[in-house]
């Protein structure tokens, strides 16, 4: 692999992470339609099959002054930031936004948009639809979910003016499966850790599948680019920015696995290619879409290929007001302790004194080995 080609791939990854909406805006300016979505449980294959650009929204690093007038401060920071952007008119160029009902915060987000439009005069905002995809592993949820995905298909068709055939859906399923498989190969063979790992996972959520496949094909990391710090898995609240990842790296800790919904786990499972497309999508996103409503959560020490990466510790990070995920911590701490894996509880915000102090305590456990060169 040419070093120039690999370098170009890394530059494209960095650019997409710093400006995730640039390609979507260019697509829109050229006459295309953009369907944005939140979370990791919306079937992007349906959006792409309709000829629209699938764009997962990020809150970015902006303030929440407008959102705070309507949205409770206990809600996730990324939701408050996206809501703020909507109120400010920063997303008026999007044709449709799909909100999954995969957390209470997302459901409130959906209803607040409707409230802001009807009663606060924010009529400029794009149309928003709710995708109520259940994630229980029971037969009686399947028919309900298939009806919801059929409704989503109709919404995309209305935006693009294009009928989505089974052949088109099957083609996108095959393409996205190919990308997921290539991503898993990169993770398993090259082992990117930390910030690069997060940026690579994020790339496929904001860029076209073909562009992601190109980057994954061109990417090759030399040994000098693979960190050698203590190996840590990250669990808990989602991370759309690299803030915590960068703090980990500066502390000599490498994030080598994570179970949050912006991490590598997004690409862990394919969609069945030899089945009815809607039925296949329903099964995949019901059982394997990463969310707080997921019936069975994966163990954080397992990577995207289903292998135990044998981390030296698992760090559980929860946003300041995130109590839902925190309920699992005592049981997880005991399970991991029995397996000889250290744990740490980090409470947000990311740069708060208590979060940084807990992270420092974790880093100190490995400092002697790292400085002594004994870590493998």
């Amino acid at each position: 692999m040419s070093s120039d080609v690999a370098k170009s791939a890394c530059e494209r990854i960095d650019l997409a992470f710093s400006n995730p909406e640039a390609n979507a805006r260019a697509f829109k300016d050229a006459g295309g339609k953009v369907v944005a979505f939140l979370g990791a449980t919306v079937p992007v294959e349906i959006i792409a099959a309709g000829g629209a650009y699938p764009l997962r929204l990020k809150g970015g690093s902006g303030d929440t002054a407008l959102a705070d007038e309507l949205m409770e401060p206990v809600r996730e920071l990324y939701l408050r930031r996206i809501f703020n952007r909507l109120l400010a008119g920063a997303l008026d160029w999007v044709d449709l936004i799909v909100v999954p009902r995969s957390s209470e915060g997302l459901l409130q987000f959906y209803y607040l948009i409707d409230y802001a439009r009807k009663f606060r005069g924010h009529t400029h905002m794009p149309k928003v639809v709710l995708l109520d995809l259940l994630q229980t592993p029971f037969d009686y949820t399947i028919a309900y979910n298939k009806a919801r995905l059929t409704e989503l298909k109709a919404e995309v068709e209305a935006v693009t003016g294009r009928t989505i055939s089974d052949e088109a859906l099957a083609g996108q399923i095959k393409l996205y499966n190919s990308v997921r498989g290539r991503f898993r190969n990169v993770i398993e063979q090259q082992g990117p850790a930390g910030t690069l790992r997060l940026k690579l996972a994020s790339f496929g959520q904001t860029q076209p599948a073909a562009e992601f496949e190109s980057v994954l094909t061109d990417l090759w990391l030399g040994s000098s680019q693979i960190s050698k710090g203590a190996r840590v898995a990250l669990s808990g609240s989602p991370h759309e920015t690299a803030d915590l990842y960068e703090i980990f790296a500066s502390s000599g800790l490498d994030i080598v696995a994570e179970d949050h919904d912006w991490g590598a786990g997004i690409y862990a499972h394919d969609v069945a290619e030899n089945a009815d497309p809607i039925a296949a999508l329903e099964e995949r996103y019901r059982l394997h879409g990463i969310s707080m409503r997921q019936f069975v959560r994966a163990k954080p020490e397992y990577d995207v290929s289903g292998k135990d990466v044998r981390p030296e510790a698992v760090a559980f990070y929860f946003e300041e007001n995130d109590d839902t995920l925190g309920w699992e911590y005592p049981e997880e701490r005991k399970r991991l302790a029995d397996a000889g894996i250290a744990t740490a509880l980090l409470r947000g915000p990311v740069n708060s004194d208590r979060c940084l102090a807990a992270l420092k305590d974790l880093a100190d456990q490995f400092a002697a080995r790292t400085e002594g060169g004994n870590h493998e």
Side-chain angles (χ1 to χ4, degrees):
M1 174 68 66
S2 165
S3 60
D4 290 340
V5 171
K7 180 180 178 182
S8 174
C10 289
E11 290 172 349
R12 288 152 67 191
I13 293 167
D14 286 337
L15 181 60
F17 196 76
S18 63
N19 192 1
E21 295 172 6
N23 281 338
R25 289 297 296 260
F27 187 86
K28 173 73 174 182
D29 292 343
K33 300 294 184 180
V34 176
V35 175
F37 62 97
L38 284 76
T41 60
V42 176
V44 292
E45 294 89 345
I46 293 177
I47 299 172
Y53 188 115
L55 173 69
R56 184 172 176 183
L57 292 177
K58 285 188 171 184
S61 57
D63 64 52
T64 61
L66 293 175
D68 291 343
E69 295 181 13
L70 298 176
M71 182 174 275
E72 297 171 339
V74 299
R75 295 306 173 194
E76 298 95 317
L77 179 58
Y78 84 93
L79 280 179
R80 302 198 330 261
R81 284 174 169 168
I82 293 175
F83 190 45
N84 201 88
R85 296 185 65 205
L86 277 166
L87 295 175
L91 293 170
D92 290 356
W93 56 277
V94 173
D95 295 288
L96 178 69
I97 298 177
V98 182
V99 179
R101 190 184 172 183
S102 50
S103 74
E104 288 305 308
L106 281 164
L107 183 60
Q108 186 191 69
F109 175 88
Y110 170 76
Y111 284 123
L112 280 178
I113 290 173
D114 186 59
Y115 174 82
R117 180 182 286 113
K118 290 180 178 177
F119 301 107
R120 292 299 185 95
H122 291 281
T123 56
H124 56 83
M125 295 187 293
K127 182 179 180 179
V128 179
V129 296
L130 182 70
L131 176 63
D132 185 21
L133 184 79
L134 303 180
Q135 290 191 280
T136 50
F138 308 126
D139 291 342
Y140 55 77
T141 64
I142 295 174
Y144 180 85
N145 281 350
K146 288 169 69 175
R148 303 292 77 76
L149 294 185
T150 300
E151 291 172 353
L152 175 61
K153 176 172 166 285
E155 292 284 0
V156 174
E157 290 174 334
V159 166
T160 63
R162 179 188 301 185
T163 299
I164 301 175
S165 66
D166 285 351
E167 291 74 20
L169 265 181
Q172 290 300 320
I173 287 171
K174 186 175 182 179
L175 173 58
Y176 276 90
N177 280 349
S178 174
V179 172
R180 292 183 189 108
R182 200 174 291 273
F183 179 91
R184 292 193 295 267
N185 287 338
V186 169
I187 291 294
E188 187 168 10
Q189 295 174 15
Q190 301 190 49
T195 302
L196 177 59
R197 179 187 179 90
L198 178 67
K199 289 180 178 180
L200 188 60
S202 176
F203 192 99
Q205 300 293 288
T206 63
Q207 309 304 309
E211 175 71 5
F212 193 26
E213 192 163 41
S214 172
V215 162
L216 292 168
T217 299
D218 293 346
L219 183 66
W220 180 256
L221 306 175
S223 59
S224 62
Q225 293 175 277
I226 304 299
S227 301
K228 301 297 182 182
R231 296 164 59 81
V232 178
L234 178 63
S235 185
S237 300
H239 296 273
E240 60 167 30
T241 72
D243 294 349
L244 187 63
Y245 279 68
E246 290 171 352
I247 295 172
F248 266 81
S250 67
S251 302
L253 305 173
D254 289 343
I255 296 175
V256 296
E258 66 276 274
D259 64 6
H260 66 79
D261 74 359
W262 272 98
I266 298 168
Y267 308 102
H269 299 276
D270 293 336
V271 179
E273 296 183 10
N274 298 317
D276 170 76
I278 290 293
L281 290 168
E282 186 279 331
E283 181 180 51
R284 193 271 179 188
Y285 286 92
R286 173 169 52 90
L287 298 179
H288 304 299
I290 301 174
S291 84
M292 291 171 63
R293 292 179 84 192
Q294 195 171 10
F295 193 82
V296 178
R297 290 175 56 82
K299 294 179 180 179
E301 67 268 29
Y302 281 72
D303 204 355
V304 65
S305 297
K307 296 181 179 179
D308 186 343
V309 298
R310 302 185 181 280
E312 295 167 85
V314 176
F316 293 83
Y317 170 84
F318 305 120
E319 285 200 23
E320 185 176 9
N321 298 298
D322 187 349
D323 294 321
T324 305
L325 291 171
W327 293 343
E328 300 175 337
Y329 178 65
E331 185 175 337
E332 280 287 88
R333 178 177 57 188
K334 182 180 184 305
R335 180 183 67 81
L336 291 164
D338 291 343
I341 300 175
T343 61
L345 178 62
L346 314 178
R347 266 293 190 184
V350 168
N351 290 301
S352 66
D353 289 342
R354 60 179 175 176
C355 180
L356 295 176
L359 199 151
K360 183 178 184 302
D361 287 344
L362 178 63
D364 287 347
Q365 297 181 43
F366 304 107
R369 272 184 293 165
T370 303
E371 292 171 2
N374 294 326
H375 176 68
E376 294 299 328

